[in-house]
Amino acid sequence: LVTLTYAAAHFISRGGVELAEVRHESLGVLSAGVMCASGRTPAVALCGAGTADGTEGSGPSLALMDLSTAQLTVQLPLEIVPTVARWEGRSGLLVLGGGDGLARVFDVRSGVKAVGAAPLFPRGVIHDLDVQDNSLAASALRAQLGPLGHDEYVFDSNLRTADP
């Protein structure tokens, strides 16, 4: 079992004993993750919010962690912190949703390559999505002006789908 917490991935045995805790400081705070297979190697896709030190490469990123070595094999910078990640095993696609309402699609079969993005919720934060084959369904929270003049997020009752 692999669990993700604020800043670490924990490997836990069937009996509930923690076998290892793995931290990768370059990722900063973990915001999303999903099990996936990069080629024949089982991996976990980790989305990091970055670090607050302001150095180059300290922003949001996507990384693949090899489960056999607990090492990051690939790390890519992202434009925005992902809020949810889903894996579609048949096509080898990783889909990330984020605070800008875009669903970003990555091909993980041979490295990690961005293959597209779909603007599903222009004023919302994608908080859940599901992907199967080439179809995607997503729901979001959208910003609306609150009674005191500040933004508040409410559930967007529209379900958006993308099918290329």
Side-chain angles (χ1 to χ4, degrees), residues 80 84 94-106 115-121 126 128-129 136-138 162:
I80 195 157
V84 64
L94 174 65
V95 181
L96 304 179
D100 58 357
L102 283 175
R104 290 177 171 79
V105 182
F106 296 86
V115 293
L120 299 179
F121 295 93
I126 295 177
D128 199 10
L129 61 85
L136 172 99

Side-chain angles (χ1 to χ4, degrees), residues 83-88 95-98 101-105 118-121 125-140 155-164:
T83 55
V84 64
R86 294 292 183 265
W87 167 252
E88 207 300 306
V95 181
L96 304 179
L102 283 175
R104 290 177 171 79
V105 182
L120 299 179
F121 295 93
V125 174
I126 295 177
H127 78 90
D128 199 10
L129 61 85
D130 194 18
V131 61
Q132 183 172 350
D133 297 325
N134 290 328
S135 297
L136 172 99
S139 60
F155 182 72
D156 188 329
S157 59
N158 296 311
L159 178 67
R160 305 283 168 87
T161 60
D163 193 13

Side-chain angles (χ1 to χ4, degrees), residues 5-122:
T5 59
Y6 179 74
H10 301 268
F11 293 85
I12 300 170
S13 72
R14 286 187 180 181
V17 175
E18 184 169 352
L19 302 173
E21 175 182 294
V22 179
R23 295 176 183 269
H24 291 285
E25 300 302 325
S26 63
L27 292 172
V29 175
L30 296 177
S31 62
V34 66
M35 297 286 288
C36 63
S38 174
R40 293 185 180 161
T41 306
V44 177
L46 300 171
C47 301
T51 60
D53 61 9
T55 60
E56 186 175 335
S58 64
S61 64
L62 166 64
L64 289 184
M65 183 174 67
D66 184 323
L67 287 178
S68 60
T69 64
Q71 298 298 313
L72 298 183
T73 58
V74 176
Q75 190 166 357
L76 295 174
L78 296 174
E79 298 169 19
I80 195 157
V81 177
T83 55
V84 64
R86 294 292 183 265
W87 167 252
E88 207 300 306
R90 283 177 271 196
S91 62
L93 296 177
L94 174 65
V95 181
L96 304 179
D100 58 357
L102 283 175
R104 290 177 171 79
V105 182
F106 296 86
D107 188 346
V108 182
R109 290 172 290 196
S110 57
V112 178
K113 297 176 187 162
V115 293
L120 299 179
F121 295 93

